[in-house]
Amino acid sequence: MQKKTRETKKPAEGALRLKVSEALGKDAGRALARMDPADIEALGAKIGEIIEVSGKRSSVCKLMPAYKESRNGAKVQLDGLSRGNAGVALDEIVTVRKVATQPAQKLVLSPTDVVPGERDMKYIGSLLDGLPVIQGDRIRATLFGSRHTEFIVRETTPKGPVLIAPTTLLTVDVAPVGQEKRKAVGPSVSYEDIGGLGPVVQKIREMIELPLRHPQIFEKLGIQAPKGVLLHGSPGTGKTLVARAVANETDAYFISISGPEIIGKFYGESEAKLRSVFEEAEKHAPSIIFIDEIEAIAPKREELGGEKQVERRVVAQLLTLMDGLKSRGKVIVIAATNLPNLLDPALRRPGRFDREIVLPVPDRHGRLQILEIHSRGMPLATDVDMGEIARITHGFVGADLEALCREAAMTCLRRVLPEVDMAQSTLPYETLMQLEISKNDFLSALCEVEPSALREVFVEVPTTTWDDVGGLEEVKTLLQEAIEWPQKYRELLEAADVKPPKGILLVGPPGCGKTLLAQAAASMSEMNFISIKGPALLSKYVGESESAVREVFRKAKQAAPCLVFFDEIDALVPQRSGGSSESHVSERVVGQFLAELDGIEKLTGVLILAATNRPDMIDPALLRPGRFDVKVTIPPPDARERLAVLKVHTRKKRLAKGLSIEELIPRTEGLSGADLAAICQNAALNAVRERVQSTRKIEGAVVLQQRHFEAALTGINR
């Protein structure tokens, strides 16, 4: 049946009609056409041969097989440049056929935007080597990193499809090709340049491309096509990038404005600017208006004072233009904001912004896609595993990951710079080609770049492992089941209808290892980690403490899966008793905490871990099942656990021959883990003190003797 379908798609002998689908990010700018092997066989072509792709115009691509996960039959994967060259959009039909090509003798190129520098011009030929082109094609030369230059092929010798070869003479016309649309959106951005936002891009395509390309569908259904899309999410998630990609992928006229540039100092000027934008869009319809930072021109009117009449009038003008008596025709408005709650409610009703799309913080798979996009032009060493970097970059949004790649490159550059003669006017190209970014460069960059999604509450995820916690085997097993199992064995828990715990309370005397256990749990669980000191959320101003609690939970839900650790939680949620005004504050905080932990809104993907040494002071309502489901009491360490703790704290220290840690165990009865850590610390300090007083020699290892531990044991405060 499938074979028959393919035969009906052939318009002529040796050609196929296939649907266009999106290429992978790694193929951007390479002029590759990936197809199902069965379609390649039906075409009578071989892998690596050149095919002609015909839509509104014809272009040429190199034929490659589709990856296994993308093989769907009767489809061809083209990147944004190739789609533009063929004059087609996603899901449209193209005709493909095998063509003969010749090596290009001469090419005349014109840059589309920025004229490349003199140094870049020397090496553009080698970067374009092997690329199939035809007159009128747009091609891309990736220079260093993600920097690239685009050209229009003005003339080819000979005529027709050609292959750029090492012997091809390239002539670059330095006058760039100006395009009105390009000026509005900057450098061309395609869907392959967006990672981790597949569902979001699909929704926006339904909202924007469908009404512009097939308006008759909505006429047949008897409904109005959507006219407005509001994009909101954390800063750096890709709101502006998505709008630029949509503008580049559609043939619509595109106007980009930022909120503040509308505001003028003269009476009526702001409203006139806004009207002129919509008039220009209607004149060039179908068109798209993109308003960035819309909260600057459309804040809530009820919160504006009498002195802010300009903002009131601008909001009213925008409302009228979007849904007034006069129809705005085929004009779609896209707006972006990271503060949606500041917008005037009248803007957010259907008919103005019909769809609100949230751009989420990317998950591990999304982070991997983004890293591959930003590193596809980087010279990576063999030890760089992007999957591993994606795993440890919790809470990073697209802009953070771009900054991470840039910082890793800068770290590599700092390593090479001392070997370079800075007196040279230009660095040799051979030196630049030796640059290689290693895994350690990325790990160093991680120390410099903070995740935007957790910026206000972020702490660096500790490197503590379960092996760093001496003893407490039962407690560690219990925590692993409660924290790691819901991440690793989610399907198994769902099959057994087991709900993961919402909260875990660690109870024990001071120094028993509660905070250390929390650090190990955060490090080993591969979750985003937020650490909160209980008293830090309390404020003397009315309502601020409750607002701080809400903000912590909001950030945690935004960055899910997330582990939130409350240290000294008894200071934040004490028992409610009534009485003084101070107790009213604590009662409101407790109420807010209870509502966030187990209220009407479901807490999904967030686990609360709390520690206290005064469980009697915590409000009893928190301790019931459904809130803190697991209560872990950490007992004082026994002899076996004390030995394990001492071994953990002495494993990096040099011990004298004949020194037995086991002999010290009977004398440490009743000591906590913190006390044992202090003994090892003081013993090492005694050895250093002895070395300084006797020889003052810096070289050589510091060896800990029995007397050093004896002195430390004598001085410990039990």
Side-chain angles (χ1 to χ4, degrees):
M1 187 70 182
Q2 195 174 7
K3 187 175 179 183
K4 185 178 179 182
T5 305
R6 287 201 181 97
E7 286 175 358
T8 58
K9 287 179 178 292
K10 294 183 183 179
E13 187 65 30
L16 284 175
R17 284 176 61 79
L18 303 174
K19 183 184 285 189
V20 176
S21 66
E22 187 178 345
L24 298 180
K26 62 182 78 172
D27 289 342
R30 297 171 62 192
L32 299 180
R34 293 193 181 271
M35 293 165 49
D36 191 300
D39 288 324
I40 295 176
E41 186 179 347
L43 190 63
K46 295 179 181 178
I47 294 172
E49 289 188 331
I50 307 304
I51 61 170
E52 183 185 67
V53 181
S54 301
K56 295 183 182 67
R57 65 179 298 272
S58 294
S59 182
V60 284
C61 296
K62 185 178 290 185
L63 184 60
M64 296 295 285
Y67 295 102
K68 285 186 178 180
E69 61 272 13
S70 305
R71 291 176 186 173
N72 202 9
K75 285 190 176 181
V76 57
Q77 289 181 306
L78 300 174
D79 70 333
L81 279 177
S82 298
R83 293 197 298 270
N85 290 337
V88 292
L90 290 175
D91 299 327
E92 289 188 352
I93 303 297
V94 292
T95 302
V96 297
R97 64 184 182 90
K98 190 169 68 170
V99 293
T101 57
Q102 304 176 62
Q105 298 172 13
K106 181 182 177 183
L107 284 184
V108 178
L109 307 176
S110 293
T112 60
D113 189 13
V114 179
V115 179
E118 184 180 344
R119 187 187 63 183
D120 294 335
M121 296 285 285
K122 297 178 183 177
Y123 306 103
I124 280 175
S126 61
L127 297 171
L128 298 176
D129 190 18
L131 200 70
V133 295
I134 198 169
Q135 186 173 338
D137 274 358
R138 178 187 293 269
I139 59 175
R140 177 183 295 178
T142 301
L143 299 168
F144 295 102
S146 57
R147 191 166 64 89
H148 60 262
T149 300
E150 292 186 2
F151 300 91
I152 294 289
V153 180
R154 285 298 177 206
E155 187 181 331
T156 66
T157 305
K159 301 291 184 183
V162 294
L163 268 176
I164 300 177
T167 56
T168 304
L169 176 63
L170 293 180
T171 304
V172 178
D173 182 1
V174 293
V177 180
Q179 290 193 2
E180 202 169 6
K181 181 179 167 185
R182 297 281 176 224
K183 289 180 181 177
V185 299
S188 64
V189 178
S190 64
Y191 292 139
E192 286 78 22
D193 297 315
I194 301 174
L197 293 176
V200 172
V201 171
Q202 188 60 35
K203 287 180 185 176
I204 292 176
R205 287 189 57 221
E206 290 174 5
M207 291 282 295
I208 295 170
E209 286 190 26
L210 206 58
L212 294 179
R213 285 164 52 187
H214 306 291
Q216 65 274 12
I217 294 177
F218 296 92
E219 293 171 6
K220 178 69 176 174
L221 292 172
I223 60 172
Q224 287 280 335
K227 293 291 184 68
V229 183
L230 179 64
L231 306 176
H232 60 90
S234 298
T237 47
K239 299 182 291 295
T240 308
L241 187 69
V242 166
R244 286 170 54 191
V246 169
N248 191 57
E249 292 277 355
T250 58
D251 291 330
Y253 186 80
F254 188 81
I255 303 174
S256 176
I257 57 174
S258 65
E261 73 182 32
I262 290 295
I263 305 298
K265 63 180 180 179
F266 298 111
Y267 191 87
E269 183 183 0
S270 306
E271 301 92 295
K273 283 184 180 179
L274 206 53
R275 284 195 301 272
S276 67
V277 168
F278 276 80
E279 286 168 5
E280 182 186 354
E282 289 173 20
K283 191 185 302 180
H284 295 88
S287 56
I288 297 172
I289 299 175
F290 175 58
I291 307 175
D292 207 0
E293 307 297 342
I294 191 174
E295 75 276 0
I297 62 170
K300 291 181 179 177
R301 285 172 289 180
E302 65 268 19
E303 295 180 4
L304 297 175
E307 73 282 359
K308 295 189 176 180
Q309 292 302 315
V310 175
E311 287 85 349
R312 287 175 183 270
R313 295 197 306 271
V314 170
V315 174
Q317 181 68 75
L318 185 60
L319 294 173
T320 306
L321 290 169
M322 290 192 69
D323 189 28
L325 291 173
K326 180 185 175 185
S327 173
R328 58 183 157 114
K330 291 184 179 180
V331 176
I332 294 174
V333 181
I334 306 176
T337 179
N338 52 12
L339 299 168
N341 294 329
L342 295 185
L343 287 181
D344 193 273
L347 266 178
R348 302 179 69 179
R349 73 154 175 82
R352 285 166 183 154
F353 286 115
D354 301 273
R355 181 79 64 88
E356 293 189 12
I357 299 177
V358 181
L359 277 72
V361 176
D363 57 9
R364 178 177 174 177
H365 180 66
R367 293 196 296 270
L368 177 59
Q369 289 183 354
I370 296 168
L371 283 168
E372 286 177 344
I373 288 170
H374 290 300
S375 64
R376 62 190 173 201
M378 297 172 69
L380 299 178
T382 54
D383 64 343
V384 176
D385 182 3
M386 283 301 172
E388 176 67 17
I389 296 171
R391 186 182 65 81
I392 60 177
T393 47
H394 306 292
F396 280 62
V397 296
D400 298 328
L401 295 170
E402 182 183 9
L404 179 70
C405 293
R406 183 170 60 245
E407 189 60 37
M410 291 302 296
T411 306
C412 170
L413 191 60
R414 292 187 200 106
R415 192 176 65 248
V416 175
L417 276 180
E419 305 171 9
V420 176
D421 182 9
M422 299 304 290
Q424 300 177 75
S425 57
T426 59
L427 297 179
Y429 191 74
E430 292 72 20
T431 303
L432 295 175
M433 293 301 289
Q434 291 173 4
L435 292 173
E436 194 175 58
I437 301 167
S438 67
K439 178 182 177 181
N440 288 333
D441 294 329
F442 277 97
L443 296 178
S444 300
L446 274 170
C447 301
E448 302 291 332
V449 182
E450 288 186 2
S452 295
L454 302 172
R455 192 175 298 279
E456 292 86 354
V457 289
F458 174 75
V459 294
E460 187 176 349
V461 176
T463 56
T464 310
T465 65
W466 294 121
D467 295 333
D468 296 324
V469 182
L472 302 176
E473 297 302 327
E474 292 182 6
V475 176
K476 287 193 283 188
T477 302
L478 192 61
L479 285 176
Q480 285 173 345
E481 291 178 2
I483 297 173
E484 295 181 20
W485 282 17
Q487 303 295 320
K488 294 181 179 178
Y489 310 111
R490 178 175 299 176
E491 294 81 5
L492 195 59
L493 294 177
E494 289 175 355
D497 194 23
V498 175
K499 294 181 179 178
K502 283 185 182 176
I504 303 170
L505 182 64
L506 303 177
V507 178
C512 65
K514 300 185 295 296
T515 306
L516 189 68
L517 282 166
Q519 291 175 346
S523 177
M524 302 305 291
S525 65
E526 299 182 4
M527 299 169 71
N528 293 329
F529 182 61
I530 296 174
S531 179
I532 304 293
K533 281 80 174 174
L537 298 181
L538 299 177
S539 171
K540 65 179 180 179
Y541 298 106
V542 176
E544 279 202 5
S545 304
E546 303 92 293
S547 176
V549 172
R550 283 195 302 273
E551 184 65 15
V552 167
F553 279 88
R554 187 186 70 82
K555 287 281 183 184
K557 284 186 277 190
Q558 193 178 55
C562 186
L563 178 65
V564 186
F565 176 55
F566 288 92
D567 206 0
E568 306 297 342
I569 195 172
D570 49 278
L572 182 65
V573 285
Q575 289 192 17
R576 291 171 287 184
S577 58
S580 63
S581 59
E582 288 82 0
S583 66
H584 290 318
V585 174
S586 63
E587 285 178 8
R588 292 197 301 270
V589 171
V590 172
Q592 184 68 56
F593 199 93
L594 293 173
E596 294 288 348
L597 193 59
D598 188 30
I600 294 176
E601 293 183 20
K602 193 175 180 182
L603 196 64
T604 305
V606 178
L607 179 64
I608 307 300
L609 185 62
T612 181
N613 52 17
R614 292 295 306 274
D616 54 301
M617 293 183 64
I618 297 176
D619 192 88
L622 270 172
L623 302 178
R624 73 156 175 84
R627 285 169 181 157
F628 281 109
D629 302 273
V630 182
K631 183 179 177 182
V632 182
T633 302
I634 303 174
D638 56 20
R640 180 176 54 84
E641 290 176 336
R642 292 199 300 275
L643 177 60
V645 173
L646 285 174
K647 284 183 176 179
V648 166
H649 290 292
T650 57
R651 64 188 176 192
K652 293 183 180 178
K653 295 178 172 61
R654 184 83 173 268
L655 302 180
K657 289 184 179 179
L659 174 61
S660 175
I661 296 294
E662 288 81 355
E663 295 177 3
L664 302 173
I665 299 303
R667 300 177 60 187
T668 59
E669 185 69 36
L671 295 182
S672 67
D675 296 331
L676 297 170
I679 288 172
C680 298
Q681 182 75 7
N682 290 336
L685 189 59
N686 290 338
V688 171
R689 187 182 294 118
E690 187 178 283
R691 167 77 71 84
V692 171
Q693 291 174 351
S694 59
T695 63
R696 297 184 182 273
K697 285 177 61 179
I698 298 176
E699 298 82 8
V702 178
V703 181
L704 274 64
Q705 305 284 348
Q706 182 77 24
R707 60 181 180 275
H708 300 142
F709 280 95
E710 295 287 346
L713 276 167
T714 306
I716 193 71
N717 183 17
R718 293 177 179 270

PDB file of all heavy atoms in Angstrom, residues 532 534-535 537-538 549 566 568-574 586 589-590 593:
ATOM      1  N   ILE A 532      17.008  27.524  51.537  1.00  0.00           N
ATOM      2  CA  ILE A 532      16.415  28.661  52.243  1.00  0.00           C
ATOM      3  C   ILE A 532      16.715  28.534  53.734  1.00  0.00           C
ATOM      4  O   ILE A 532      16.469  27.486  54.332  1.00  0.00           O
ATOM      5  CB  ILE A 532      14.880  28.706  52.043  1.00  0.00           C
ATOM      6  CG1 ILE A 532      14.529  28.747  50.546  1.00  0.00           C
ATOM      7  CG2 ILE A 532      14.282  29.905  52.771  1.00  0.00           C
ATOM      8  CD1 ILE A 532      14.936  30.001  49.836  1.00  0.00           C
ATOM      9  N   GLY A 534      15.484  29.429  57.281  1.00  0.00           N
ATOM     10  CA  GLY A 534      14.161  29.764  57.790  1.00  0.00           C
ATOM     11  C   GLY A 534      13.936  31.232  58.097  1.00  0.00           C
ATOM     12  O   GLY A 534      13.024  31.871  57.543  1.00  0.00           O
ATOM     13  N   PRO A 535      14.775  31.855  58.962  1.00  0.00           N
ATOM     14  CA  PRO A 535      14.539  33.258  59.337  1.00  0.00           C
ATOM     15  C   PRO A 535      14.713  34.253  58.197  1.00  0.00           C
ATOM     16  O   PRO A 535      14.259  35.394  58.297  1.00  0.00           O
ATOM     17  CB  PRO A 535      15.605  33.511  60.427  1.00  0.00           C
ATOM     18  CG  PRO A 535      16.025  32.150  60.894  1.00  0.00           C
ATOM     19  CD  PRO A 535      15.885  31.259  59.720  1.00  0.00           C
ATOM     20  N   LEU A 537      13.286  34.551  55.407  1.00  0.00           N
ATOM     21  CA  LEU A 537      12.058  34.948  54.728  1.00  0.00           C
ATOM     22  C   LEU A 537      11.219  35.914  55.554  1.00  0.00           C
ATOM     23  O   LEU A 537      10.253  36.474  55.049  1.00  0.00           O
ATOM     24  CB  LEU A 537      11.216  33.711  54.387  1.00  0.00           C
ATOM     25  CG  LEU A 537      11.844  32.696  53.424  1.00  0.00           C
ATOM     26  CD1 LEU A 537      10.885  31.555  53.166  1.00  0.00           C
ATOM     27  CD2 LEU A 537      12.221  33.352  52.108  1.00  0.00           C
ATOM     28  N   LEU A 538      11.557  36.077  56.825  1.00  0.00           N
ATOM     29  CA  LEU A 538      10.741  36.922  57.703  1.00  0.00           C
ATOM     30  C   LEU A 538      11.093  38.388  57.515  1.00  0.00           C
ATOM     31  O   LEU A 538      12.256  38.756  57.366  1.00  0.00           O
ATOM     32  CB  LEU A 538      10.939  36.513  59.162  1.00  0.00           C
ATOM     33  CG  LEU A 538      10.545  35.064  59.502  1.00  0.00           C
ATOM     34  CD1 LEU A 538      10.851  34.746  60.952  1.00  0.00           C
ATOM     35  CD2 LEU A 538       9.069  34.834  59.212  1.00  0.00           C
ATOM     36  N   VAL A 549       7.441  33.663  50.880  1.00  0.00           N
ATOM     37  CA  VAL A 549       7.136  32.227  50.836  1.00  0.00           C
ATOM     38  C   VAL A 549       6.520  31.865  49.484  1.00  0.00           C
ATOM     39  O   VAL A 549       6.887  30.868  48.855  1.00  0.00           O
ATOM     40  CB  VAL A 549       6.191  31.836  51.995  1.00  0.00           C
ATOM     41  CG1 VAL A 549       5.719  30.393  51.841  1.00  0.00           C
ATOM     42  CG2 VAL A 549       6.881  32.022  53.335  1.00  0.00           C
ATOM     43  N   PHE A 566      14.691  23.772  53.490  1.00  0.00           N
ATOM     44  CA  PHE A 566      14.479  24.782  54.530  1.00  0.00           C
ATOM     45  C   PHE A 566      15.294  24.384  55.757  1.00  0.00           C
ATOM     46  O   PHE A 566      14.982  23.385  56.424  1.00  0.00           O
ATOM     47  CB  PHE A 566      12.996  24.873  54.909  1.00  0.00           C
ATOM     48  CG  PHE A 566      12.134  25.515  53.862  1.00  0.00           C
ATOM     49  CD1 PHE A 566      11.499  24.753  52.898  1.00  0.00           C
ATOM     50  CD2 PHE A 566      11.956  26.892  53.830  1.00  0.00           C
ATOM     51  CE1 PHE A 566      10.701  25.328  51.928  1.00  0.00           C
ATOM     52  CE2 PHE A 566      11.167  27.488  52.858  1.00  0.00           C
ATOM     53  CZ  PHE A 566      10.544  26.705  51.907  1.00  0.00           C
ATOM     54  N   GLU A 568      16.579  25.086  59.606  1.00  0.00           N
ATOM     55  CA  GLU A 568      15.988  25.702  60.806  1.00  0.00           C
ATOM     56  C   GLU A 568      14.543  26.117  60.530  1.00  0.00           C
ATOM     57  O   GLU A 568      14.159  27.279  60.726  1.00  0.00           O
ATOM     58  CB  GLU A 568      16.824  26.915  61.257  1.00  0.00           C
ATOM     59  CG  GLU A 568      18.294  26.626  61.473  1.00  0.00           C
ATOM     60  CD  GLU A 568      18.541  25.616  62.586  1.00  0.00           C
ATOM     61  OE1 GLU A 568      17.626  25.409  63.407  1.00  0.00           O
ATOM     62  OE2 GLU A 568      19.632  25.018  62.626  1.00  0.00           O
ATOM     63  N   ILE A 569      13.728  25.162  60.092  1.00  0.00           N
ATOM     64  CA  ILE A 569      12.355  25.486  59.710  1.00  0.00           C
ATOM     65  C   ILE A 569      11.497  25.870  60.906  1.00  0.00           C
ATOM     66  O   ILE A 569      10.459  26.513  60.761  1.00  0.00           O
ATOM     67  CB  ILE A 569      11.721  24.297  58.938  1.00  0.00           C
ATOM     68  CG1 ILE A 569      10.442  24.761  58.227  1.00  0.00           C
ATOM     69  CG2 ILE A 569      11.484  23.109  59.859  1.00  0.00           C
ATOM     70  CD1 ILE A 569       9.848  23.751  57.297  1.00  0.00           C
ATOM     71  N   ASP A 570      11.935  25.525  62.115  1.00  0.00           N
ATOM     72  CA  ASP A 570      11.149  25.884  63.304  1.00  0.00           C
ATOM     73  C   ASP A 570      11.048  27.395  63.480  1.00  0.00           C
ATOM     74  O   ASP A 570      10.100  27.900  64.089  1.00  0.00           O
ATOM     75  CB  ASP A 570      11.761  25.242  64.552  1.00  0.00           C
ATOM     76  CG  ASP A 570      13.258  25.475  64.643  1.00  0.00           C
ATOM     77  OD1 ASP A 570      14.010  24.731  63.994  1.00  0.00           O
ATOM     78  OD2 ASP A 570      13.667  26.423  65.331  1.00  0.00           O
ATOM     79  N   ALA A 571      12.044  28.153  62.938  1.00  0.00           N
ATOM     80  CA  ALA A 571      11.984  29.613  63.037  1.00  0.00           C
ATOM     81  C   ALA A 571      10.963  30.200  62.069  1.00  0.00           C
ATOM     82  O   ALA A 571      10.438  31.290  62.297  1.00  0.00           O
ATOM     83  CB  ALA A 571      13.364  30.211  62.762  1.00  0.00           C
ATOM     84  N   LEU A 572      10.657  29.465  60.982  1.00  0.00           N
ATOM     85  CA  LEU A 572       9.741  29.974  59.958  1.00  0.00           C
ATOM     86  C   LEU A 572       8.296  29.608  60.247  1.00  0.00           C
ATOM     87  O   LEU A 572       7.387  30.419  60.016  1.00  0.00           O
ATOM     88  CB  LEU A 572      10.159  29.422  58.584  1.00  0.00           C
ATOM     89  CG  LEU A 572       9.340  29.877  57.378  1.00  0.00           C
ATOM     90  CD1 LEU A 572       9.512  31.372  57.151  1.00  0.00           C
ATOM     91  CD2 LEU A 572       9.746  29.101  56.136  1.00  0.00           C
ATOM     92  N   VAL A 573       8.048  28.408  60.764  1.00  0.00           N
ATOM     93  CA  VAL A 573       6.664  27.939  60.984  1.00  0.00           C
ATOM     94  C   VAL A 573       6.491  27.459  62.427  1.00  0.00           C
ATOM     95  O   VAL A 573       6.262  26.273  62.675  1.00  0.00           O
ATOM     96  CB  VAL A 573       6.305  26.821  59.973  1.00  0.00           C
ATOM     97  CG1 VAL A 573       6.065  27.392  58.602  1.00  0.00           C
ATOM     98  CG2 VAL A 573       7.391  25.748  59.902  1.00  0.00           C
ATOM     99  N   PRO A 574       6.569  28.368  63.405  1.00  0.00           N
ATOM    100  CA  PRO A 574       6.380  27.948  64.805  1.00  0.00           C
ATOM    101  C   PRO A 574       4.904  27.668  65.093  1.00  0.00           C
ATOM    102  O   PRO A 574       4.026  27.952  64.277  1.00  0.00           O
ATOM    103  CB  PRO A 574       6.874  29.165  65.587  1.00  0.00           C
ATOM    104  CG  PRO A 574       6.598  30.314  64.676  1.00  0.00           C
ATOM    105  CD  PRO A 574       6.805  29.797  63.282  1.00  0.00           C
ATOM    106  N   SER A 586       3.710  35.408  62.268  1.00  0.00           N
ATOM    107  CA  SER A 586       4.095  34.005  62.131  1.00  0.00           C
ATOM    108  C   SER A 586       2.897  33.143  61.752  1.00  0.00           C
ATOM    109  O   SER A 586       3.028  32.182  60.993  1.00  0.00           O
ATOM    110  CB  SER A 586       4.740  33.497  63.420  1.00  0.00           C
ATOM    111  OG  SER A 586       3.809  33.541  64.484  1.00  0.00           O
ATOM    112  N   VAL A 589       2.380  33.484  58.067  1.00  0.00           N
ATOM    113  CA  VAL A 589       3.423  32.753  57.345  1.00  0.00           C
ATOM    114  C   VAL A 589       3.124  31.253  57.374  1.00  0.00           C
ATOM    115  O   VAL A 589       3.247  30.559  56.353  1.00  0.00           O
ATOM    116  CB  VAL A 589       4.812  33.050  57.947  1.00  0.00           C
ATOM    117  CG1 VAL A 589       5.869  32.126  57.334  1.00  0.00           C
ATOM    118  CG2 VAL A 589       5.202  34.491  57.722  1.00  0.00           C
ATOM    119  N   VAL A 590       2.722  30.738  58.541  1.00  0.00           N
ATOM    120  CA  VAL A 590       2.378  29.317  58.649  1.00  0.00           C
ATOM    121  C   VAL A 590       1.208  28.994  57.725  1.00  0.00           C
ATOM    122  O   VAL A 590       1.209  27.987  57.007  1.00  0.00           O
ATOM    123  CB  VAL A 590       2.042  28.933  60.108  1.00  0.00           C
ATOM    124  CG1 VAL A 590       1.497  27.506  60.174  1.00  0.00           C
ATOM    125  CG2 VAL A 590       3.268  29.067  60.987  1.00  0.00           C
ATOM    126  N   PHE A 593       2.403  28.906  54.171  1.00  0.00           N
ATOM    127  CA  PHE A 593       3.224  27.725  53.938  1.00  0.00           C
ATOM    128  C   PHE A 593       2.347  26.482  53.778  1.00  0.00           C
ATOM    129  O   PHE A 593       2.570  25.656  52.889  1.00  0.00           O
ATOM    130  CB  PHE A 593       4.201  27.536  55.111  1.00  0.00           C
ATOM    131  CG  PHE A 593       5.364  26.649  54.802  1.00  0.00           C
ATOM    132  CD1 PHE A 593       6.564  27.169  54.342  1.00  0.00           C
ATOM    133  CD2 PHE A 593       5.272  25.271  54.967  1.00  0.00           C
ATOM    134  CE1 PHE A 593       7.629  26.349  54.046  1.00  0.00           C
ATOM    135  CE2 PHE A 593       6.335  24.438  54.680  1.00  0.00           C
ATOM    136  CZ  PHE A 593       7.526  24.975  54.222  1.00  0.00           C
TER     137      PHE A 593
END
